[in-house]
Amino acid sequence: MSKLADYDGPILEIDKLSISFFTRLREIPAVMDFSVSVMPGEAVGLVGESGCGKSTVALGVMQDLGKNGRIVGGTIKFKGRDLSEMSTDELRDIRGNEIAMIYQEPMASLNPAMKIGKQLMEVPMIHEGVSKEEAYARALEVVTDVRLPDPERMLNSFPHQLSGGQQQRIVIAMALMSKPALLILDEPTTALDVTVEAAVVELVKDLGKKYGTSMLFISHNLGLVLETCDRLCVMYSGEAVERGSIHDVFDEMQHPYTQALFRSIPLPGADKNSRPLVAIPGNFPLPHERPNGCNFGPRCDYFEEGRCDAQEITMEAVPGNDRHHTRCLKFKEIDWNAPITVGEQKEKGEVGNVVLKMDNLKKYYEVAANALFGGGEKKVVKANETLSFEARESETLAIVGESGCGKSTFAKVLMGLETATEGQILLDNRNIEQVPIEERDAKTVGEVQMVFQNPFDTLNPSMTVGRQIIRALEIFGIGNSEADRRQRMLELLDLVKLPRAFAERMPRQLSGGQKQRVGIARAFAGDARIVVADEPVSALDVSVQAAVTDLLMEIQREQKTTLLFISHDLSIVRYLSDRVMVMYLGHVVELGSTDQVFSPPYHPYTEALLSAVPIADTSVEKEHIVLEGDIPSAMNPPSGCPFQTRCRWKSEVADGRCEREVPPVRTLAEGHQVKCHLAEEVLARMEPVIKIAAE
C-alpha cells in the first residue's frame, strides 16, 4: 500500500528557502536561499557543521519553527503542494503519517511511562483509525523489521529497560509504523556506539528499500553520508554551498569549503608526522556577523578581494555532472587536483622510559541486585578485569572500545577518583592505585590530568577563562606570586593557541573548540606527565577536531607528555596513536602497535570495530561485518570469552571452549597480544577489513 502511486515528481522540493528567527533586537537569518529536492526512493544527505542551519531546514519541513522562527522567502513543497498553505488539520495529518522525523536523542521521542507496544500502536490507531488487533500486528512487524530480539517482550517493556541502540531502533520503528513517504533523520546515530551505529545505518538503508521511503539524512559525518545516501548537499553558515551525487561531490568537489572539510578529517593515508591534517583557519561566522559576498571568504585559500566580497553569490551548475551545483565564483579557475600544500612535517618525539605501568589491575563494584529498593543479594560488576600495559614518555596509547567496556572506569582509578580492587598502577615506580585523589600530593595530581569529552561541563560559567587557569596553578602550587601565575597563565594560552585577550572572557563567549582548548590549557597547568584524553574531540566539529588533535600532538612533542587517548573513533586513533589497546566488557582483548592492530590477524572484536567505522573515501572498500545483538551487561557477563555471544569466528573452535573458558593472553608478534582461542592457522586466514582500491 504505497501512498506514492499517484505522484511521480519530487517528494520534497525546497526552493530558495530563507528562514529567520526574530529577537527583540534584530532578525537573525538562519537559512538563506536554500534549495534541495528529494526524488521518490532517494536518500539525500545534508552535511555541515553545527550552527550551519541543517536542523532549521528539517524543522522548516516539519513546519515547527516555534513562535520566533518564520519562513521569510521561498517555498517547501511536499509532493507538489506548498506546506505553508496547508491548514493545521492537513499538516497534522501529514506529520507522522506521511513525513516522519527521527531525532538524535531517542529518549526525547519516547514516553517513559508507557509501554513500547502501546506507543507504537497509537500511530496507526490515531492516523488511520485501524483496530487494536491490526495495530498490534503492525507493531510486531516493524519491531521484527528493525531486528530487535524477542519482539513480543520488547512491546511489553518500558523504554528505560532498553539500551540506547534498542531505543533508537524503537524510534525508527515508530517512524515507519505509518509507512511514510519521507523520513527525516537528524543525526540519528551520534549518541550510539560505532558497532550499533553500523547496524542502525544498515537497517535504515534496508528499510528505505523495503518501504520505498525517501530520506533526508542530516549529519556532520561524511563517512556515514557516503554509506547511506545517493546525493549530498553541503551547507555552510545558512547556505547550500555544493550539491550533487555522492561520487561527484566526493571525487570532483567544486567548492573550497568542501575541499577544506575533507582535508581536516583523518582518511586512510593521513599521518600525524608526515601528512598532518589541515585545519580550517579562523572561526565560523555568527549569523548576524556574516561577511559580504561569500560567507566562506574570510577562511578560504582562494579568496580574491573586490571580487568574492563584492556581490551576492548564487549557485551555478557544474558542466558535465549530474545536477551538480556550487556556490563559488572561481570554481572554473581553481586547480582542484593540485597537490595539498603539506603542512610542515613534524619530527616524531622520541619515545622515552616507561612512565606508567599497570599490572593485573581489577576494579569490581558491588551493587544491590534490586537497584531500586536495595536489599536482595549483592551482585558484582566486573568493570575492569586484569588490565596490564605500559605507557612511555612521549607516547600516545589509544584505548578503544564501546560504552560499558570499562575505559572510563580505568581512567577514574588512574585519576584517583576510584581505588583499585586488585593489582597495581605504578607512576614513575610509585604505587598510586590505592591513593584516592584527596590524599594525593599536589605534584601527583598535577602530573596525571584529564581532558574531558564535553568542554561545556568542565568550565565554571561564572569565572573568567584566565581566573580558571590561575586557580589550577594555585592548586598545583605553581608560581611564587600572583604575578608569576598570571604570566604562566598567559603562556598557557599561547600554548593552546588562544589570543591572550581571552583571559578576560567568560566561557559563554567561547565556541566549543575554544572551550576545549581552555580545558587542555588547564590540564597542562601542572606540567602534566600523563594526560588522559577522554573522547576529547567527539563533541566538536570536524574542522575544529583537526585543530584540537594537532594541538595535543604539538604540546606532546614539546612537553614529552604521555597521552592516553580514549576514543571509539578508529579513524582518529589510527591517525594519532602509537599503540592501541582494544577493550571489551572489562577485558583487554588486543594490544599492539597501531600498524599491528589495524592489519590482520585481528581479535574478532577488533575486526568488527574496524568494519563499523564509516570512512569518507570512495576508493575504500570495506568488508562488511554487522555484529548481532547488543553488548552484554557487565552485571551479567557471558560465560567463557566475553565476546563469544557476538563472535562470527566462534564455530572455528570446535570443542566449545569459547563458552567455557576465558581465553589466555597470547603473543602473536613482538608487542602484539590478543585474548582469543582461535588457532594460529585460523588467524592466518584473516583478510584485511579496509582495502584501498587501486587507482
Side-chain angles (χ1 to χ4, degrees):
M1 158 201 133
S2 173
K3 301 172 183 162
L4 301 181
D6 52 347
Y7 186 75
D8 59 357
I11 293 297
L12 179 68
E13 190 174 12
I14 301 179
D15 188 39
K16 295 191 169 48
L17 176 71
S18 295
I19 296 175
S20 288
F21 288 92
F22 291 86
T23 66
R24 280 191 314 229
L25 297 175
R26 57 168 79 93
E27 172 186 350
I28 297 174
V31 173
M32 294 91 66
D33 183 32
F34 177 83
S35 305
V36 74
S37 57
V38 184
M39 302 305 285
E42 191 174 61
V44 176
L46 193 52
V47 175
E49 300 177 280
S50 51
C52 72
K54 310 184 293 287
S55 298
T56 306
V57 169
L59 293 172
V61 175
M62 296 302 280
Q63 297 286 305
D64 182 18
L65 291 165
K67 57 178 189 295
N68 292 344
R70 273 215 297 281
I71 293 177
V72 291
T75 55
I76 305 175
K77 289 183 177 165
F78 175 68
K79 293 192 190 172
R81 292 190 57 201
D82 189 336
L83 287 171
S84 64
E85 291 172 1
M86 293 187 185
S87 69
T88 318
D89 287 349
E90 283 179 301
L91 276 174
R92 190 184 301 120
D93 198 41
I94 281 182
R95 272 192 218 132
N97 188 18
E98 296 210 48
I99 304 179
M101 185 155 171
I102 296 170
Y103 296 91
Q104 186 169 348
E105 193 39 73
M107 267 319 269
S109 314
L110 295 172
N111 179 341
M114 194 191 244
K115 286 187 175 169
I116 299 289
K118 196 160 180 223
Q119 298 192 46
L120 289 172
M121 288 160 63
E122 272 190 348
V123 181
M125 285 165 74
I126 290 171
H127 281 292
E128 298 167 48
V130 303
S131 69
K132 211 170 177 176
E133 291 68 34
E134 191 186 329
Y136 184 79
R138 212 189 281 181
L140 206 54
E141 181 195 357
V142 289
V143 172
T144 312
D145 274 347
V146 295
R147 305 198 193 116
L148 279 165
D150 197 350
E152 286 174 340
R153 185 175 64 81
M154 285 290 161
L155 292 179
N156 205 24
S157 305
F158 286 99
H160 70 267
Q161 295 170 306
L162 311 186
S163 70
Q166 291 173 334
Q167 288 172 0
Q168 192 59 291
R169 286 169 194 226
I170 290 293
V171 172
I172 293 171
M174 201 187 269
L176 292 167
M177 277 301 283
S178 56
K179 302 191 171 56
L182 175 68
L183 190 54
I184 301 174
L185 302 108
D186 189 359
E187 303 262 14
T189 58
T190 320
L192 306 178
D193 276 316
V194 256
T195 52
V196 182
E197 172 177 89
V200 168
V201 164
E202 178 81 353
L203 173 76
V204 167
K205 276 191 339 206
D206 290 354
L207 294 173
K209 288 193 188 79
K210 175 176 174 179
Y211 291 113
T213 308
S214 308
M215 290 192 273
L216 185 63
F217 192 95
I218 297 175
S219 180
H220 63 267
N221 185 329
L222 287 158
L224 264 186
V225 167
L226 169 66
E227 292 187 3
T228 42
C229 300
D230 310 301
R231 298 179 61 77
L232 159 72
C233 173
V234 181
M235 280 187 88
Y236 179 80
S237 189
E239 296 179 324
V241 292
E242 184 163 11
R243 273 199 305 269
S245 72
I246 290 284
H247 279 274
D248 286 347
V249 176
F250 274 61
D251 299 340
E252 295 178 43
M253 54 194 76
Q254 298 285 313
H255 194 281
Y257 175 61
T258 315
Q259 185 185 50
L261 264 187
F262 275 92
R263 287 179 178 178
S264 64
I265 52 180
L267 296 174
D271 174 271
K272 65 180 173 183
N273 297 312
S274 57
R275 265 201 47 205
L277 302 180
V278 184
I280 305 176
N283 283 319
F284 204 75
L286 292 169
H288 55 282
E289 293 172 0
R290 291 193 177 106
N292 292 329
C294 174
N295 280 344
F296 189 58
R299 306 174 73 188
C300 177
D301 292 345
Y302 311 102
F303 179 74
E304 191 180 318
E305 206 171 331
R307 184 176 168 199
C308 298
D309 53 3
Q311 64 197 68
E312 286 297 310
I313 295 168
T314 52
M315 289 293 264
E316 280 189 59
V318 176
N321 283 350
D322 166 37
R323 295 182 285 155
H324 188 180
H325 294 80
T326 176
R327 195 181 291 270
C328 177
L329 287 177
K330 302 178 69 171
F331 76 95
K332 290 179 179 159
E333 303 157 34
I334 294 170
D335 177 1
W336 294 103
N337 296 319
I340 300 182
T341 45
V342 175
E344 55 179 300
Q345 298 206 353
K346 306 286 193 342
E347 277 302 300
K348 183 173 174 354
E350 267 306 298
V351 172
N353 299 331
V354 173
V355 180
L356 180 71
K357 184 172 169 29
M358 286 215 176
D359 203 16
N360 286 333
L361 178 82
K362 294 185 179 180
K363 176 62 185 169
Y364 292 175
Y365 292 101
E366 271 204 353
V367 292
N370 183 338
L372 201 55
F373 304 108
E377 79 247 58
K378 291 262 193 260
K379 271 199 166 174
V380 172
V381 176
K382 299 179 176 181
N384 287 154
E385 273 288 11
T386 56
L387 234 67
S388 298
F389 70 87
E390 294 178 343
R392 299 166 193 277
E393 186 176 87
S394 286
E395 179 179 57
T396 304
L397 171 69
I399 298 150
V400 178
E402 298 172 282
S403 50
C405 74
K407 309 186 293 277
S408 298
T409 301
F410 132 80
K412 283 177 187 161
V413 176
L414 177 60
M415 299 292 298
L417 300 170
E418 301 273 1
T419 51
T421 308
E422 242 180 71
Q424 52 180 356
I425 303 177
L426 296 166
L427 172 64
D428 290 331
N429 281 327
R430 307 195 305 277
N431 282 65
I432 57 168
E433 71 283 342
Q434 292 300 338
V435 187
I437 194 156
E438 55 272 20
E439 290 173 26
R440 290 186 181 183
D441 57 33
K443 181 173 178 295
T444 309
V445 173
E447 283 181 345
V448 185
Q449 281 292 302
M450 195 153 176
V451 177
F452 295 90
Q453 179 171 359
N454 201 338
F456 315 105
D457 296 345
T458 54
L459 297 179
N460 180 336
S462 56
M463 206 187 261
T464 64
V465 166
R467 187 75 213 121
Q468 307 207 31
I469 297 173
I470 289 172
R471 281 270 302 129
L473 292 167
E474 286 168 357
I475 291 165
F476 301 143
I478 288 171
N480 298 323
S481 64
E482 190 64 21
D484 275 3
R485 285 191 279 270
R486 184 160 181 82
Q487 185 52 35
R488 174 81 181 123
M489 177 268 293
L490 294 172
E491 286 163 10
L492 284 163
L493 287 178
D494 297 342
L495 182 72
V496 296
K497 298 192 167 52
L498 282 176
R500 289 187 165 195
F502 273 42
E504 304 310 317
R505 289 203 180 178
M506 302 301 277
R508 64 167 188 280
Q509 296 169 297
L510 272 54
S511 69
Q514 290 165 342
K515 286 181 186 159
Q516 193 57 294
R517 283 165 191 255
V518 176
I520 293 171
R522 221 170 35 178
F524 282 94
D527 294 325
R529 303 284 310 282
I530 298 172
V531 169
V532 183
D534 188 359
E535 303 263 13
V537 293
S538 61
L540 305 175
D541 276 320
V542 202
S543 60
V544 184
Q545 276 186 11
V548 171
T549 38
D550 206 41
L551 173 72
L552 276 170
M553 302 322 318
E554 202 168 307
I555 296 177
Q556 179 182 39
R557 271 188 282 270
E558 282 173 24
Q559 316 257 342
K560 297 195 172 359
T561 322
T562 305
L563 199 58
L564 298 183
F565 192 86
I566 299 180
S567 181
H568 65 264
D569 178 348
L570 285 168
S571 325
I572 225 150
V573 162
R574 184 178 201 162
Y575 169 70
L576 58 76
S577 61
D578 304 305
R579 281 169 53 240
V580 180
M581 176 163 105
V582 182
M583 289 184 71
Y584 185 82
L585 268 191
H587 292 259
V588 175
V589 293
E590 184 162 8
L591 176 62
S593 73
T594 306
D595 290 342
Q596 287 169 334
V597 172
F598 277 80
S599 49
Y602 310 105
H603 185 281
Y605 175 59
T606 311
E607 180 191 48
L609 268 185
L610 288 171
S611 152
V613 175
I615 298 173
D617 188 335
T618 52
S619 66
V620 167
E621 290 173 21
K622 280 197 316 188
E623 188 177 351
H624 206 64
I625 305 161
V626 169
L627 288 182
E628 296 299 317
D630 281 313
I631 307 170
S633 150
M635 266 174 87
N636 198 3
S639 58
C641 168
F643 188 59
Q644 53 100 352
T645 53
R646 303 168 81 195
C647 179
R648 68 182 195 134
W649 292 86
K650 190 164 82 167
S651 56
E652 299 281 349
V653 182
D655 58 5
R657 253 179 320 174
C658 298
E659 291 169 23
R660 290 195 312 273
E661 300 164 24
V662 173
V665 173
R666 291 160 50 191
T667 302
L668 300 182
E670 195 185 343
H672 187 197
Q673 58 184 56
V674 297
K675 215 177 215 185
C676 185
H677 285 305
L678 287 176
E680 300 286 333
E681 62 272 15
V682 178
L683 288 167
R685 292 204 318 258
M686 285 191 167
E687 295 276 312
V689 173
I690 297 169
K691 301 185 198 65
I692 299 182
E695 287 297 313

